[in-house]
Amino acid sequence: MSNHDIMLVRAKITPAVAVYQFMSEYADALVSAAHLLGGEQAAQRTSLLINEILQRAPLCRHLRAEFVDLHRLLSLQAVDDLESIEAACFAKIDPASPVVEEVCLLSDGLFDHLVALARAEYLDPVWRPVLDAAA
């Protein structure tokens, strides 16, 4: 059991409520990071995702997939495709910029929440890549 899982058990909150709290607390930073790494379209997708979660929409399959995609963006999984917008955005970032550490922390936080959700809903195949990465 990870430290994040222990925190959820101690606080007696569900992974979905923890996602709501995380998105609420870091909404602006997540949208900014998405814009930095994926441009305007990524920022808009992230903003829509956050708005839906903050309206307490159930974490349907579509929202879960969007949540996974946001983590993929923040963890730089698309930057090896040199033709992608993500690679172009990434190339503009100064590695010494403080924003790099902030993006890493956001990515780590997202991953912790993804793993908690995946463990709670492990039968849904949308979580398979998350559970494989956490193993």
Side-chain angles (χ1 to χ4, degrees):
M1 189 176 270
S2 73
N3 289 339
H4 185 263
D5 293 336
I6 293 168
M7 178 202 68
L8 291 178
V9 169
R10 286 186 182 152
K12 294 185 170 111
I13 60 175
T14 66
V17 170
V19 166
Y20 171 86
Q21 292 172 340
F22 180 81
M23 293 298 219
S24 178
E25 185 172 348
Y26 297 104
D28 292 338
L30 288 164
V31 171
S32 294
H35 188 270
L36 179 71
L37 294 170
E40 187 60 36
Q41 185 177 6
Q44 288 175 355
R45 278 182 70 188
T46 301
S47 185
L48 287 172
L49 170 65
I50 291 168
N51 287 338
E52 290 207 38
I53 289 174
L54 295 184
Q55 291 173 10
R56 301 242 183 211
L59 286 174
C60 63
R61 186 176 188 78
H62 169 73
L63 288 181
R64 293 186 303 242
E66 287 291 316
F67 198 52
V68 170
D69 286 347
L70 176 58
H71 179 260
R72 286 183 179 136
L73 175 67
L74 297 188
S75 61
L76 310 176
Q77 292 184 21
V79 298
D80 5 346
D81 176 5
L82 300 180
E83 302 296 318
S84 70
I85 184 73
E86 293 87 352
C89 290
F90 178 69
K92 295 177 187 174
I93 299 171
D94 176 3
S97 171
V99 75
V100 172
E101 183 176 353
E102 183 177 341
V103 170
C104 289
L105 292 171
L106 289 169
S107 178
D108 290 347
L110 278 175
F111 185 72
D112 288 343
H113 289 291
L114 284 169
V115 170
L117 283 169
R119 286 184 177 146
E121 303 173 1
Y122 68 93
L123 293 177
D124 190 328
V126 77
W127 297 123
R128 182 60 37 217
V130 175
L131 291 171
D132 290 346

